[in-house]
Amino acid sequence: MRIRYRLPRWALITGFGLALGFTLIFAAKMLLWARDERDGAAVLPVAGWMPIGFLARSRDIPREVLLEAAGIEPGERARLTLAGIARQNGEPLEALVIRIEASIASWQARGND
Amino acid sequence: MTDQLLALIGDWGALAVGVITFLACAGVPIPALLAMLAAGAFAASGDLDLLAVGVASLAGALAGDQVGYGIGRLGRRGTESWIHRNRARAALFARAQASVERRGMLAVFLSRWLVSALGPYVNLLAGVARMNWPGFSLASLAGETLWVGIYVGLGYAAGANVESVATAVIDLSGLAASGALTLLFGWALWRRRTLR
């Protein structure tokens, strides 16, 4: 006995249409991304989720410069995000971000010496 | 949600990535790709340990797969009498089971990394169709190793550009899943037309 389970034709056509629609949307998003990358990727603004090392790497700055600005001794719980450091210091995140941005600007103004 | 997820990974490290891949593979809609990409990028900047991130991601993913498979098997056990109440239905399930035994390992392997959005559903189906457990586990291990390696590796390579790369990778993953479904539905429509 051969049993064949068949979806109704309208279900197949609806499924096909939806899947094709999503395929086209994702393809268009990929094309837009490629165009934006060609024009140059933007530097991410300083945000609370960023760990110190990640931020230092994205700005091409020694980690120690940012650790000092955050009030952390080198090697001391350096893995925390900026939000985590602000909580640990008992200060608002905005205040820490302003200090970090100032230290980045100061380092860049000195010509990375 | 993205910022909160990234902060979670920054603060909790490999443990957070492991929990996220576990939940994602068990069927909870949570952006595991983004988590692995970010953890890879944080490892590149020295904030996390690359090996710990890889091991935790893989362990979480494998455990999530087993949970999905287990739920499928339990669900099948609960509906066993319903399946056998009807001869046609029982024959249909027998065919589905035979099909899973023949091609199940390939389906499990490919749905881990190539069309990973379908992974949780394949876990459930494999359990319902009673795919043999060693075969499922082996295919899961091979596929998840590749999945974790690709996304953590991409994050590590992307480094500070991870947000831009993440956007592209997530869209690419969506493109692969929707493209596969388009081909599947197209094939079914074409087959129905030629069989008529």
Side-chain angles (χ1 to χ4, degrees):
Chain A
M1 179 173 63
R2 185 166 174 82
I3 306 288
R4 180 169 285 134
Y5 181 73
R6 304 181 92 186
L7 279 173
R9 191 163 181 270
W10 65 264
L12 286 178
I13 291 172
T14 306
F16 180 77
L18 281 172
L20 185 63
F22 277 111
T23 303
L24 293 175
I25 289 169
F26 282 121
K29 285 183 80 179
M30 288 294 298
L31 286 175
L32 288 174
W33 174 81
R35 192 198 61 185
D36 292 346
E37 280 298 295
R38 196 191 54 200
D39 296 343
V43 176
L44 288 174
V46 178
W49 61 264
M50 294 179 171
I52 284 281
F54 177 82
L55 183 57
R57 190 167 194 235
S58 72
R59 300 300 196 277
D60 201 17
I61 285 178
R63 171 194 289 255
E64 291 70 29
V65 173
L66 299 186
L67 285 174
E68 191 185 331
I72 294 179
E73 295 293 318
E76 178 206 341
R77 301 200 66 188
R79 205 198 72 203
L80 279 175
T81 57
L82 295 188
I85 293 169
R87 270 198 308 274
Q88 190 174 276
N89 292 351
E91 64 178 331
L93 174 62
E94 293 73 22
L96 177 63
V97 168
I98 288 170
R99 232 171 38 245
I100 292 279
E101 283 175 338
S103 78
I104 292 170
S106 157
W107 171 265
Q108 287 170 340
R110 284 196 313 237
N112 301 356
D113 50 19
Chain B
M1 184 196 174
T2 304
D3 282 10
Q4 287 162 343
L5 184 94
L6 293 172
L8 206 66
I9 294 163
D11 285 334
W12 289 92
L15 178 67
V17 195
V19 171
I20 290 167
T21 55
F22 168 74
L23 292 174
C25 292
V28 178
I30 189 167
L33 300 189
L34 179 65
M36 286 193 289
L37 285 164
F42 295 169
S45 57
D47 294 299
L48 298 181
D49 181 73
L50 183 62
L51 183 64
V53 166
V55 169
S57 306
L58 183 60
L62 292 175
D65 285 351
Q66 292 296 330
V67 166
Y69 176 84
I71 290 172
R73 278 200 88 123
L74 282 176
R76 171 68 185 265
R77 197 178 297 166
T79 52
E80 200 68 59
S81 61
W82 174 79
I83 289 170
H84 289 288
R85 214 175 294 154
N86 178 303
R87 270 182 61 196
R89 195 185 298 143
L92 178 68
F93 267 81
R95 275 193 66 213
Q97 197 163 336
S99 172
V100 163
E101 289 300 334
R102 271 199 314 276
R103 292 187 281 263
M105 281 184 77
L106 183 66
V108 171
F109 174 69
L110 292 178
S111 63
R112 300 308 93 174
W113 61 278
L114 187 60
V115 278
S116 53
L118 303 181
Y121 308 105
V122 172
N123 293 341
L124 282 174
L125 288 175
V128 169
R130 286 193 179 147
M131 181 179 173
N132 74 82
W133 181 78
F136 173 82
S137 300
L138 195 66
S140 157
L141 175 65
E144 297 297 16
T145 304
L146 204 55
W147 187 57
V148 168
I150 288 171
Y151 289 104
V152 173
L154 267 174
Y156 191 85
N161 291 327
V162 69
E163 196 184 46
S164 168
V165 171
T167 306
V169 166
I170 289 164
D171 286 344
L172 188 64
S173 168
L175 185 64
S178 55
L181 284 174
T182 306
L183 288 176
L184 196 69
F185 279 116
W187 175 78
L189 279 168
W190 176 80
R191 195 153 176 262
R192 168 171 289 201
R193 201 176 152 176
T194 54
L195 285 176
R196 190 172 279 171

